[in-house]
Amino acid sequence: MTVPRITLLSRCRAGRAMPNKDGDAKKPVSETVPDQRWKLQVFYLCFYGFMTQIRPGESFITPYLLGADKNFTQAEVTNVIMPVLTYSYMAVLVPIFLLTDYLRYKPVLVLQSLSHVSIWLLLLLGTSVLAMQLMEFFYGVTMAARIAYSSYIFSLVAPSRYQRMASYSRSAVLLGVFTSSVLGQLCVTLGGVSFLTLNYVSLGFVSFGLVLTLFLERPQRSLFFNRPKEAGDGAASAELDKMAGGDDGGGTRGWREATLCRMLREVGALAGQPQLRLWSLWWVFNSAGYYLMLYYVHILWSEIYPTTDNRRVYNGGVDAASTLLGAGASFAAGYVKIRWTLWSELVIGVVTAFQAGLLLLMNTTSNIWLCYTAYVLFRGSHQFLVPIAIFQIATSLSKELCALVFGVNTFFATVLKTIITIVVADKRGLGLSVHPQFYVYFGYFTLLAVVYLLAAVGTGIRHSRRKQPVELALAKELCQLPAEVPAQEKSPEAGAVQA
């Protein structure tokens, strides 16, 4: 069970403010950190992000639960244990999103590290289904707390450095995920290390990550609740004070409430923009299906290739390959230059149809290597669209609105994912086994692809209809032009004859 880390805020635009020559004189005290200090802070944060991803046993949790060490049945893992991950993630997503900003990141990062330690303690010591459900609950907490790391970078550096520093922090995470997957696979395949021993190694790494968390500096500012008072924000602060009802004793609380309400209203108004609406809907619907596939694909692999020889389980290598391809696809997406207002629906529709075909292939093949390949391509195709979606959504937003929009999108995706889990996977719903589940996911992506492609046809028809009157008007002008030019050239000569 491996859930890839996708940092949303690390790709948001730094806002509309542009750097100026005398910008250093206008920066708040929190941004005039000595060069050497903020560089060390960023380096430490990246090192922390890398080390906290070193969990070599993570790719092998599902075969560990199904194997001789724990001996849970596939029905228990699929229909009783795994659904708790979705439920817990939904339950803690909004509180952690708000607490991350209000508590200024570090306490939530500590909570995330404690949850990682709890996961591996329960994996090693737990023997009951209830213990594994509690393990999945803590896993949901760690997923929700990822927002703390991705947004922490904004408190360390000036806005002019956001883009580059955020890319460093994201690269550190991807490198950590890749290194962890490769290390786990090498230990299992070449070293003959058991899954139990690998989980002890993972416990050691996450414990070290907890120690690293304690030495992180707690920032003095954050995006929403702890914003610095800058000279350039005087008008905005005054407006917020008015919205809050003045400068009385409840001004601070009113400011916080007014800020969030105002930004939510702005998000509602922005929903009318076609590209923002389209890519937000893609984020909600496709992300829900994407993560459901990730949650249950390891169970599918165990059913397609039920080996008892741990050295022939290649989950770590496949996760490493998919991470590498995903990073490459994300990088390549930055060089795609097309007219997105015209081609977005078609691109999304084609990629979604491709993913639907990969899901069908994964579910029908009996060749584990073919299933591995389809999984790697599925993840790569999704990661190809992620940076495009982020750019299309965030291109006209400040970093605060960007964070809020992605928070709202992630919340709705989680709600949809929870509904599908209750109906399809949970034993209190249909309680389907893994193969029927993947048929459901195939149908889900097929339906999305049909909708996107029909929308692309509609966009093409509207574009052609708008283009035809323009072309007719231009043709009419061109036809009239030769008749008018000789008349203008002739009139001076006629005047001369008359004279």
Side-chain angles (χ1 to χ4, degrees):
M1 178 185 62
T2 302
V3 182
R5 179 180 183 122
I6 303 177
T7 53
L8 305 178
L9 289 174
S10 62
R11 298 184 189 174
C12 292
R13 289 183 61 186
R16 300 180 182 177
M18 298 296 292
N20 49 54
K21 294 180 180 179
D22 57 346
D24 293 336
K26 296 182 179 180
K27 292 177 183 176
V29 176
S30 57
E31 289 188 2
T32 56
V33 182
D35 279 354
Q36 201 62 27
R37 187 183 174 193
W38 74 259
K39 289 179 181 178
L40 288 174
Q41 289 175 336
V42 170
F43 174 80
Y44 186 80
L45 180 66
C46 292
F47 176 70
Y48 163 81
F50 172 83
M51 290 305 303
T52 53
Q53 297 305 307
I54 306 299
R55 303 186 293 269
E58 188 172 47
S59 298
F60 303 95
I61 289 179
T62 297
Y64 172 72
L65 295 177
L66 296 173
D69 293 303
K70 294 299 178 183
N71 205 27
F72 291 108
T73 66
Q74 190 175 105
E76 288 175 328
V77 175
T78 305
N79 306 122
V80 182
I81 297 174
M82 285 296 299
V84 177
L85 171 59
T86 301
Y87 304 152
S88 65
Y89 182 52
M90 179 180 173
V92 302
L93 178 62
V94 174
I96 286 183
F97 177 80
L98 296 175
L99 287 174
T100 295
D101 194 88
Y102 184 73
L103 298 178
R104 289 173 282 141
Y105 312 114
K106 182 177 178 178
V108 176
L109 290 173
V110 173
L111 174 64
Q112 184 186 45
S113 295
L114 288 172
S115 297
H116 274 135
V117 173
S118 301
I119 288 171
W120 264 269
L121 285 175
L122 288 167
L123 280 172
L124 292 169
L125 304 178
T127 56
S128 65
V129 171
L130 181 60
M132 296 303 103
Q133 288 178 319
L134 187 59
M135 179 270 296
E136 294 289 357
F137 169 79
F138 284 116
Y139 206 100
V141 173
T142 65
M143 288 178 59
R146 290 171 178 174
I147 187 68
Y149 174 82
S150 59
S151 55
Y152 188 103
I153 192 72
F154 295 129
S155 67
L156 297 182
V157 297
S160 60
R161 298 189 177 105
Y162 279 166
Q163 185 174 0
R164 180 180 297 180
M165 296 303 108
S167 68
Y168 291 163
S169 63
R170 173 171 170 75
S171 299
V173 168
L174 290 175
L175 183 60
V177 173
F178 177 79
T179 304
S180 176
S181 301
V182 171
L183 178 62
Q185 190 63 60
L186 291 177
C187 289
V188 170
T189 303
L190 300 181
V193 177
S194 67
F195 294 151
L196 181 64
T197 303
L198 206 59
N199 284 326
Y200 276 111
V201 174
S202 300
L203 177 61
F205 275 111
V206 296
S207 300
F208 179 63
L210 175 60
V211 174
L212 293 177
T213 310
L214 300 178
F215 291 95
L216 286 171
E217 182 176 338
R218 189 178 183 187
Q220 297 301 314
R221 59 191 175 96
S222 59
L223 288 178
F224 301 112
F225 294 124
N226 303 282
R227 302 176 69 179
K229 293 184 179 180
E230 304 181 33
D233 292 339
S237 300
E239 183 179 352
L240 289 173
D241 289 339
K242 291 179 182 179
M243 295 173 64
D247 295 325
D248 54 357
T252 303
R253 181 180 178 182
W255 178 86
R256 292 170 181 169
E257 294 174 353
T259 300
L260 287 177
C261 290
R262 175 177 58 82
M263 295 186 72
L264 286 172
R265 286 196 299 269
E266 290 183 16
V267 169
L270 289 169
Q273 297 182 9
Q275 286 299 295
L276 188 146
R277 183 175 62 246
L278 171 65
W279 287 99
S280 292
L281 289 174
W282 174 85
W283 195 279
V284 171
F285 287 100
N286 287 58
S287 292
Y290 172 77
Y291 279 103
L292 284 170
M293 186 280 296
L294 291 185
Y295 294 165
Y296 292 96
V297 71
H298 286 188
I299 302 175
L300 180 67
W301 294 346
S302 297
E303 186 163 315
I304 293 175
Y305 190 62
T307 180
T308 56
D309 185 1
N310 293 348
R311 291 175 298 179
R312 303 177 75 86
V313 178
Y314 301 103
N315 295 12
V318 177
D319 286 335
S322 62
T323 300
L324 194 61
L325 179 63
S330 297
F331 181 79
Y335 292 91
V336 177
K337 304 297 182 183
I338 63 175
R339 189 177 173 185
W340 288 107
T341 54
L342 178 60
W343 299 106
S344 287
E345 291 90 347
L346 182 61
V347 172
I348 293 175
V350 170
V351 172
T352 304
F354 177 65
Q355 291 177 318
L358 292 174
L359 285 171
L360 182 62
L361 177 61
M362 278 190 277
N363 199 33
T364 55
T365 185
S366 58
N367 187 324
I368 188 62
W369 291 103
L370 198 56
C371 189
Y372 285 156
T373 303
Y375 166 78
V376 171
L377 292 175
F378 187 97
R379 281 192 62 183
S381 61
H382 181 82
Q383 293 301 322
F384 171 76
L385 289 182
V386 166
I388 299 173
I390 289 174
F391 175 77
Q392 294 297 321
I393 292 172
T395 186
S396 60
L397 303 179
S398 66
K399 65 179 185 296
E400 292 85 3
L401 277 179
C402 179
L404 195 58
V405 167
F406 283 118
V408 171
N409 290 346
T410 302
F411 173 74
F412 282 119
T414 305
V415 171
L416 178 60
K417 185 171 56 177
T418 302
I419 293 172
I420 296 174
T421 300
I422 293 173
V423 175
V424 174
D426 198 297
K427 70 173 185 178
R428 290 164 291 189
L430 296 176
L432 299 179
S433 60
V434 66
H435 274 295
Q437 279 191 49
F438 267 73
Y439 279 121
V440 172
Y441 304 149
F442 161 70
Y444 176 80
F445 273 85
T446 301
L447 178 62
L448 290 178
V450 170
V451 172
Y452 291 137
L453 292 174
L454 288 176
V457 172
T459 300
I461 293 174
R462 287 192 300 271
H463 175 73
S464 62
R465 286 179 178 176
R466 286 195 301 265
K467 190 177 180 181
Q468 284 178 358
V470 176
E471 291 178 347
L472 290 174
L474 183 60
K476 186 176 180 181
E477 291 180 2
L478 291 174
C479 289
Q480 293 175 352
L481 188 59
E484 294 175 356
V485 172
Q488 293 173 355
E489 293 175 349
K490 211 172 174 182
S491 74
E493 297 175 1
V497 171
Q498 290 177 0

